[in-house]
mmCIF file of all heavy atoms in Angstrom:
data_model
loop_
_atom_site.group_PDB
_atom_site.id
_atom_site.type_symbol
_atom_site.label_atom_id
_atom_site.label_comp_id
_atom_site.label_asym_id
_atom_site.label_seq_id
_atom_site.Cartn_x
_atom_site.Cartn_y
_atom_site.Cartn_z
ATOM 1 N N MET A 351 -0.717 4.140 -6.034
ATOM 2 C CA MET A 351 0.612 4.682 -5.729
ATOM 3 C C MET A 351 0.835 4.722 -4.218
ATOM 4 O O MET A 351 1.915 4.382 -3.734
ATOM 5 C CB MET A 351 0.779 6.069 -6.331
ATOM 6 C CG MET A 351 2.157 6.648 -6.114
ATOM 7 S SD MET A 351 2.456 8.174 -7.033
ATOM 8 C CE MET A 351 1.303 9.271 -6.236
ATOM 9 N N ALA A 352 -0.176 5.111 -3.456
ATOM 10 C CA ALA A 352 -0.060 5.128 -1.995
ATOM 11 C C ALA A 352 0.179 3.720 -1.452
ATOM 12 O O ALA A 352 0.996 3.524 -0.547
ATOM 13 C CB ALA A 352 -1.304 5.751 -1.367
ATOM 14 N N PHE A 353 -0.515 2.739 -2.014
ATOM 15 C CA PHE A 353 -0.292 1.341 -1.607
ATOM 16 C C PHE A 353 1.166 0.956 -1.822
ATOM 17 O O PHE A 353 1.796 0.365 -0.947
ATOM 18 C CB PHE A 353 -1.178 0.394 -2.431
ATOM 19 C CG PHE A 353 -2.503 0.070 -1.811
ATOM 20 C CD1 PHE A 353 -3.534 0.990 -1.805
ATOM 21 C CD2 PHE A 353 -2.729 -1.169 -1.243
ATOM 22 C CE1 PHE A 353 -4.763 0.688 -1.257
ATOM 23 C CE2 PHE A 353 -3.957 -1.500 -0.690
ATOM 24 C CZ PHE A 353 -4.982 -0.559 -0.692
ATOM 25 N N VAL A 354 1.704 1.269 -2.999
ATOM 26 C CA VAL A 354 3.096 0.911 -3.306
ATOM 27 C C VAL A 354 4.043 1.604 -2.336
ATOM 28 O O VAL A 354 4.986 0.983 -1.817
ATOM 29 C CB VAL A 354 3.440 1.255 -4.770
ATOM 30 C CG1 VAL A 354 4.928 1.088 -5.031
ATOM 31 C CG2 VAL A 354 2.625 0.383 -5.725
ATOM 32 N N GLY A 355 3.800 2.880 -2.056
ATOM 33 C CA GLY A 355 4.656 3.597 -1.116
ATOM 34 C C GLY A 355 4.636 2.974 0.267
ATOM 35 O O GLY A 355 5.687 2.753 0.880
ATOM 36 N N LEU A 356 3.449 2.686 0.766
ATOM 37 C CA LEU A 356 3.316 2.069 2.088
ATOM 38 C C LEU A 356 4.012 0.714 2.149
ATOM 39 O O LEU A 356 4.729 0.408 3.109
ATOM 40 C CB LEU A 356 1.835 1.899 2.431
ATOM 41 C CG LEU A 356 1.065 3.167 2.770
ATOM 42 C CD1 LEU A 356 -0.431 2.936 2.628
ATOM 43 C CD2 LEU A 356 1.415 3.634 4.178
ATOM 44 N N MET A 357 3.797 -0.103 1.134
ATOM 45 C CA MET A 357 4.386 -1.443 1.131
ATOM 46 C C MET A 357 5.904 -1.391 0.973
ATOM 47 O O MET A 357 6.626 -2.215 1.534
ATOM 48 C CB MET A 357 3.757 -2.303 0.033
ATOM 49 C CG MET A 357 2.273 -2.596 0.227
ATOM 50 S SD MET A 357 1.850 -3.364 1.810
ATOM 51 C CE MET A 357 0.919 -2.041 2.594
ATOM 52 N N THR A 358 6.408 -0.407 0.240
ATOM 53 C CA THR A 358 7.859 -0.257 0.089
ATOM 54 C C THR A 358 8.492 0.114 1.418
ATOM 55 O O THR A 358 9.536 -0.448 1.798
ATOM 56 C CB THR A 358 8.183 0.793 -0.996
ATOM 57 O OG1 THR A 358 7.594 0.371 -2.235
ATOM 58 C CG2 THR A 358 9.684 0.959 -1.178
ATOM 59 N N VAL A 359 7.883 1.048 2.136
ATOM 60 C CA VAL A 359 8.409 1.406 3.459
ATOM 61 C C VAL A 359 8.383 0.194 4.382
ATOM 62 O O VAL A 359 9.358 -0.090 5.079
ATOM 63 C CB VAL A 359 7.628 2.593 4.069
ATOM 64 C CG1 VAL A 359 8.012 2.804 5.535
ATOM 65 C CG2 VAL A 359 7.881 3.865 3.271
ATOM 66 N N ALA A 360 7.283 -0.547 4.380
ATOM 67 C CA ALA A 360 7.194 -1.744 5.225
ATOM 68 C C ALA A 360 8.268 -2.757 4.859
ATOM 69 O O ALA A 360 8.906 -3.347 5.739
ATOM 70 C CB ALA A 360 5.807 -2.365 5.104
ATOM 71 N N ALA A 361 8.491 -2.951 3.557
ATOM 72 C CA ALA A 361 9.499 -3.920 3.101
ATOM 73 C C ALA A 361 10.897 -3.531 3.557
ATOM 74 O O ALA A 361 11.699 -4.397 3.921
ATOM 75 C CB ALA A 361 9.462 -4.042 1.577
ATOM 76 N N LEU A 362 11.177 -2.246 3.549
ATOM 77 C CA LEU A 362 12.534 -1.778 3.854
ATOM 78 C C LEU A 362 12.763 -1.485 5.337
ATOM 79 O O LEU A 362 13.888 -1.159 5.728
ATOM 80 C CB LEU A 362 12.855 -0.543 3.013
ATOM 81 C CG LEU A 362 12.898 -0.806 1.506
ATOM 82 C CD1 LEU A 362 13.062 0.498 0.736
ATOM 83 C CD2 LEU A 362 13.995 -1.803 1.158
ATOM 84 N N THR A 363 11.724 -1.608 6.144
ATOM 85 C CA THR A 363 11.892 -1.381 7.581
ATOM 86 C C THR A 363 11.518 -2.653 8.349
ATOM 87 O O THR A 363 12.390 -3.429 8.706
ATOM 88 C CB THR A 363 11.052 -0.180 8.059
ATOM 89 O OG1 THR A 363 9.667 -0.379 7.746
ATOM 90 C CG2 THR A 363 11.544 1.118 7.424
ATOM 91 N N ASP A 364 10.253 -2.895 8.557
ATOM 92 C CA ASP A 364 9.797 -4.004 9.386
ATOM 93 C C ASP A 364 10.162 -5.379 8.826
ATOM 94 O O ASP A 364 10.484 -6.288 9.579
ATOM 95 C CB ASP A 364 8.280 -3.900 9.591
ATOM 96 C CG ASP A 364 7.766 -4.884 10.613
ATOM 97 O OD1 ASP A 364 8.506 -5.214 11.559
ATOM 98 O OD2 ASP A 364 6.622 -5.341 10.478
ATOM 99 N N HIS A 365 10.108 -5.537 7.517
ATOM 100 C CA HIS A 365 10.343 -6.859 6.915
ATOM 101 C C HIS A 365 11.774 -7.057 6.421
ATOM 102 O O HIS A 365 12.118 -8.137 5.955
ATOM 103 C CB HIS A 365 9.354 -7.076 5.757
ATOM 104 C CG HIS A 365 7.931 -7.045 6.199
ATOM 105 N ND1 HIS A 365 7.268 -8.142 6.687
ATOM 106 C CD2 HIS A 365 7.028 -6.019 6.271
ATOM 107 C CE1 HIS A 365 6.029 -7.809 7.022
ATOM 108 N NE2 HIS A 365 5.864 -6.522 6.777
ATOM 109 N N ARG A 366 12.587 -6.058 6.512
ATOM 110 C CA ARG A 366 13.960 -6.075 5.996
ATOM 111 C C ARG A 366 14.811 -7.159 6.657
ATOM 112 O O ARG A 366 14.806 -7.323 7.871
ATOM 113 C CB ARG A 366 14.591 -4.712 6.242
ATOM 114 C CG ARG A 366 15.964 -4.582 5.689
ATOM 115 C CD ARG A 366 16.544 -3.222 6.040
ATOM 116 N NE ARG A 366 17.656 -2.950 5.175
ATOM 117 C CZ ARG A 366 17.969 -1.768 4.713
ATOM 118 N NH1 ARG A 366 17.259 -0.719 5.061
ATOM 119 N NH2 ARG A 366 18.992 -1.609 3.928
ATOM 120 N N GLY A 367 15.527 -7.882 5.825
ATOM 121 C CA GLY A 367 16.463 -8.880 6.320
ATOM 122 C C GLY A 367 15.830 -10.145 6.862
ATOM 123 O O GLY A 367 16.511 -10.971 7.458
ATOM 124 N N LYS A 368 14.533 -10.324 6.638
ATOM 125 C CA LYS A 368 13.840 -11.496 7.178
ATOM 126 C C LYS A 368 13.480 -12.510 6.100
ATOM 127 O O LYS A 368 12.678 -13.395 6.328
ATOM 128 C CB LYS A 368 12.579 -11.049 7.926
ATOM 129 C CG LYS A 368 12.878 -10.157 9.126
ATOM 130 C CD LYS A 368 11.618 -9.674 9.782
ATOM 131 C CE LYS A 368 11.917 -8.736 10.932
ATOM 132 N NZ LYS A 368 10.690 -8.116 11.469
ATOM 133 N N GLY A 369 14.055 -12.344 4.908
ATOM 134 C CA GLY A 369 13.780 -13.281 3.838
ATOM 135 C C GLY A 369 12.497 -12.962 3.096
ATOM 136 O O GLY A 369 11.963 -11.861 3.186
ATOM 137 N N TYR A 370 12.015 -13.938 2.364
ATOM 138 C CA TYR A 370 10.846 -13.743 1.521
ATOM 139 C C TYR A 370 9.536 -14.083 2.228
ATOM 140 O O TYR A 370 8.570 -13.344 2.155
ATOM 141 C CB TYR A 370 10.985 -14.572 0.237
ATOM 142 C CG TYR A 370 9.760 -14.476 -0.654
ATOM 143 C CD1 TYR A 370 9.487 -13.314 -1.358
ATOM 144 C CD2 TYR A 370 8.870 -15.533 -0.758
ATOM 145 C CE1 TYR A 370 8.355 -13.201 -2.158
ATOM 146 C CE2 TYR A 370 7.743 -15.438 -1.561
ATOM 147 C CZ TYR A 370 7.485 -14.275 -2.255
ATOM 148 O OH TYR A 370 6.369 -14.171 -3.030
ATOM 149 N N PHE A 371 9.480 -15.220 2.907
ATOM 150 C CA PHE A 371 8.202 -15.748 3.389
ATOM 151 C C PHE A 371 7.669 -14.991 4.600
ATOM 152 O O PHE A 371 8.397 -14.709 5.543
ATOM 153 C CB PHE A 371 8.327 -17.241 3.701
ATOM 154 C CG PHE A 371 8.621 -18.045 2.467
ATOM 155 C CD1 PHE A 371 9.888 -18.546 2.233
ATOM 156 C CD2 PHE A 371 7.636 -18.268 1.520
ATOM 157 C CE1 PHE A 371 10.161 -19.262 1.084
ATOM 158 C CE2 PHE A 371 7.900 -18.982 0.366
ATOM 159 C CZ PHE A 371 9.167 -19.480 0.149
ATOM 160 N N ILE A 372 6.376 -14.687 4.557
ATOM 161 C CA ILE A 372 5.731 -13.900 5.608
ATOM 162 C C ILE A 372 5.743 -14.637 6.944
ATOM 163 O O ILE A 372 5.841 -14.001 7.994
ATOM 164 C CB ILE A 372 4.297 -13.475 5.202
ATOM 165 C CG1 ILE A 372 3.739 -12.427 6.184
ATOM 166 C CG2 ILE A 372 3.368 -14.665 5.109
ATOM 167 C CD1 ILE A 372 4.484 -11.137 6.220
ATOM 168 N N PHE A 373 5.687 -15.955 6.952
ATOM 169 C CA PHE A 373 5.665 -16.664 8.226
ATOM 170 C C PHE A 373 6.983 -16.527 8.980
ATOM 171 O O PHE A 373 7.064 -16.837 10.155
ATOM 172 C CB PHE A 373 5.268 -18.144 8.057
ATOM 173 C CG PHE A 373 6.209 -18.953 7.216
ATOM 174 C CD1 PHE A 373 7.328 -19.543 7.780
ATOM 175 C CD2 PHE A 373 5.968 -19.133 5.867
ATOM 176 C CE1 PHE A 373 8.200 -20.297 7.002
ATOM 177 C CE2 PHE A 373 6.832 -19.882 5.084
ATOM 178 C CZ PHE A 373 7.950 -20.467 5.659
ATOM 179 N N LYS A 374 8.015 -16.008 8.303
ATOM 180 C CA LYS A 374 9.284 -15.688 8.952
ATOM 181 C C LYS A 374 9.462 -14.171 9.064
ATOM 182 O O LYS A 374 10.544 -13.693 9.347
ATOM 183 C CB LYS A 374 10.448 -16.300 8.176
ATOM 184 C CG LYS A 374 10.469 -17.815 8.209
ATOM 185 C CD LYS A 374 11.669 -18.356 7.494
ATOM 186 C CE LYS A 374 11.688 -19.875 7.604
ATOM 187 N NZ LYS A 374 12.874 -20.452 6.977
ATOM 188 N N GLY A 375 8.383 -13.422 8.793
ATOM 189 C CA GLY A 375 8.440 -11.967 8.869
ATOM 190 C C GLY A 375 8.933 -11.308 7.591
ATOM 191 O O GLY A 375 9.183 -10.107 7.569
ATOM 192 N N GLY A 376 9.045 -12.093 6.526
ATOM 193 C CA GLY A 376 9.616 -11.600 5.276
ATOM 194 C C GLY A 376 8.692 -10.744 4.439
ATOM 195 O O GLY A 376 7.579 -10.376 4.849
ATOM 196 N N ASN A 377 9.144 -10.442 3.235
ATOM 197 C CA ASN A 377 8.506 -9.485 2.333
ATOM 198 C C ASN A 377 7.377 -10.025 1.462
ATOM 199 O O ASN A 377 6.801 -9.262 0.690
ATOM 200 C CB ASN A 377 9.567 -8.879 1.415
ATOM 201 C CG ASN A 377 10.427 -7.889 2.137
ATOM 202 O OD1 ASN A 377 9.924 -6.944 2.730
ATOM 203 N ND2 ASN A 377 11.734 -8.090 2.090
ATOM 204 N N GLU A 378 7.066 -11.290 1.548
ATOM 205 C CA GLU A 378 6.079 -11.909 0.671
ATOM 206 C C GLU A 378 4.776 -11.104 0.593
ATOM 207 O O GLU A 378 4.300 -10.764 -0.492
ATOM 208 C CB GLU A 378 5.798 -13.317 1.190
ATOM 209 C CG GLU A 378 4.742 -14.091 0.452
ATOM 210 C CD GLU A 378 4.509 -15.461 1.079
ATOM 211 O OE1 GLU A 378 4.833 -15.680 2.267
ATOM 212 O OE2 GLU A 378 3.991 -16.326 0.352
ATOM 213 N N TYR A 379 4.207 -10.780 1.724
ATOM 214 C CA TYR A 379 2.926 -10.077 1.794
ATOM 215 C C TYR A 379 3.008 -8.684 1.173
ATOM 216 O O TYR A 379 2.183 -8.311 0.349
ATOM 217 C CB TYR A 379 2.477 -10.008 3.259
ATOM 218 C CG TYR A 379 1.372 -9.028 3.531
ATOM 219 C CD1 TYR A 379 0.049 -9.339 3.221
ATOM 220 C CD2 TYR A 379 1.642 -7.793 4.115
ATOM 221 C CE1 TYR A 379 -0.969 -8.441 3.476
ATOM 222 C CE2 TYR A 379 0.632 -6.892 4.376
ATOM 223 C CZ TYR A 379 -0.671 -7.216 4.056
ATOM 224 O OH TYR A 379 -1.673 -6.328 4.309
ATOM 225 N N VAL A 380 3.989 -7.896 1.579
ATOM 226 C CA VAL A 380 4.057 -6.517 1.100
ATOM 227 C C VAL A 380 4.384 -6.449 -0.385
ATOM 228 O O VAL A 380 3.893 -5.567 -1.099
ATOM 229 C CB VAL A 380 5.017 -5.643 1.939
ATOM 230 C CG1 VAL A 380 4.470 -5.480 3.353
ATOM 231 C CG2 VAL A 380 6.428 -6.184 1.967
ATOM 232 N N ILE A 381 5.181 -7.376 -0.879
ATOM 233 C CA ILE A 381 5.468 -7.421 -2.316
ATOM 234 C C ILE A 381 4.192 -7.747 -3.086
ATOM 235 O O ILE A 381 3.871 -7.105 -4.088
ATOM 236 C CB ILE A 381 6.589 -8.435 -2.629
ATOM 237 C CG1 ILE A 381 7.933 -7.924 -2.105
ATOM 238 C CG2 ILE A 381 6.668 -8.720 -4.127
ATOM 239 C CD1 ILE A 381 9.043 -8.958 -2.139
ATOM 240 N N LEU A 382 3.450 -8.746 -2.615
ATOM 241 C CA LEU A 382 2.202 -9.129 -3.285
ATOM 242 C C LEU A 382 1.203 -7.976 -3.299
ATOM 243 O O LEU A 382 0.600 -7.683 -4.334
ATOM 244 C CB LEU A 382 1.587 -10.355 -2.616
ATOM 245 C CG LEU A 382 0.260 -10.819 -3.211
ATOM 246 C CD1 LEU A 382 0.440 -11.276 -4.653
ATOM 247 C CD2 LEU A 382 -0.346 -11.925 -2.370
ATOM 248 N N VAL A 383 1.020 -7.312 -2.177
ATOM 249 C CA VAL A 383 0.070 -6.194 -2.114
ATOM 250 C C VAL A 383 0.487 -5.090 -3.089
ATOM 251 O O VAL A 383 -0.345 -4.547 -3.821
ATOM 252 C CB VAL A 383 -0.064 -5.660 -0.671
ATOM 253 C CG1 VAL A 383 -0.851 -4.359 -0.633
ATOM 254 C CG2 VAL A 383 -0.725 -6.705 0.230
ATOM 255 N N ALA A 384 1.769 -4.754 -3.125
ATOM 256 C CA ALA A 384 2.247 -3.698 -4.033
ATOM 257 C C ALA A 384 2.035 -4.094 -5.494
ATOM 258 O O ALA A 384 1.583 -3.276 -6.308
ATOM 259 C CB ALA A 384 3.718 -3.395 -3.764
ATOM 260 N N ILE A 385 2.332 -5.336 -5.840
ATOM 261 C CA ILE A 385 2.165 -5.791 -7.224
ATOM 262 C C ILE A 385 0.694 -5.767 -7.631
ATOM 263 O O ILE A 385 0.343 -5.334 -8.736
ATOM 264 C CB ILE A 385 2.768 -7.198 -7.416
ATOM 265 C CG1 ILE A 385 4.290 -7.114 -7.358
ATOM 266 C CG2 ILE A 385 2.319 -7.822 -8.732
ATOM 267 C CD1 ILE A 385 4.985 -8.466 -7.305
ATOM 268 N N VAL A 386 -0.181 -6.213 -6.760
ATOM 269 C CA VAL A 386 -1.611 -6.207 -7.072
ATOM 270 C C VAL A 386 -2.106 -4.766 -7.223
ATOM 271 O O VAL A 386 -2.929 -4.474 -8.097
ATOM 272 C CB VAL A 386 -2.416 -6.994 -6.017
ATOM 273 C CG1 VAL A 386 -3.913 -6.846 -6.226
ATOM 274 C CG2 VAL A 386 -2.026 -8.475 -6.056
ATOM 275 N N ALA A 387 -1.605 -3.849 -6.409
ATOM 276 C CA ALA A 387 -1.987 -2.439 -6.541
ATOM 277 C C ALA A 387 -1.544 -1.883 -7.894
ATOM 278 O O ALA A 387 -2.298 -1.147 -8.542
ATOM 279 C CB ALA A 387 -1.389 -1.619 -5.397
ATOM 280 N N VAL A 388 -0.348 -2.237 -8.337
ATOM 281 C CA VAL A 388 0.116 -1.793 -9.663
ATOM 282 C C VAL A 388 -0.782 -2.381 -10.751
ATOM 283 O O VAL A 388 -1.174 -1.675 -11.690
ATOM 284 C CB VAL A 388 1.603 -2.159 -9.892
ATOM 285 C CG1 VAL A 388 2.016 -1.908 -11.339
ATOM 286 C CG2 VAL A 388 2.499 -1.358 -8.951
ATOM 287 N N ALA A 389 -1.125 -3.647 -10.626
ATOM 288 C CA ALA A 389 -2.029 -4.272 -11.609
ATOM 289 C C ALA A 389 -3.373 -3.551 -11.638
ATOM 290 O O ALA A 389 -3.932 -3.314 -12.718
ATOM 291 C CB ALA A 389 -2.222 -5.753 -11.280
#
Side-chain angles (χ1 to χ4, degrees):
M351 183 171 66
F353 267 75
V354 171
L356 288 161
M357 295 305 112
T358 301
V359 170
L362 296 173
T363 57
D364 189 31
H365 299 274
R366 183 183 198 145
K368 298 177 183 172
Y370 177 72
F371 296 105
I372 191 63
F373 62 86
K374 293 183 177 183
N377 286 305
E378 177 182 21
Y379 165 78
V380 294
I381 290 169
L382 178 64
V383 170
I385 289 170
V386 173
V388 171

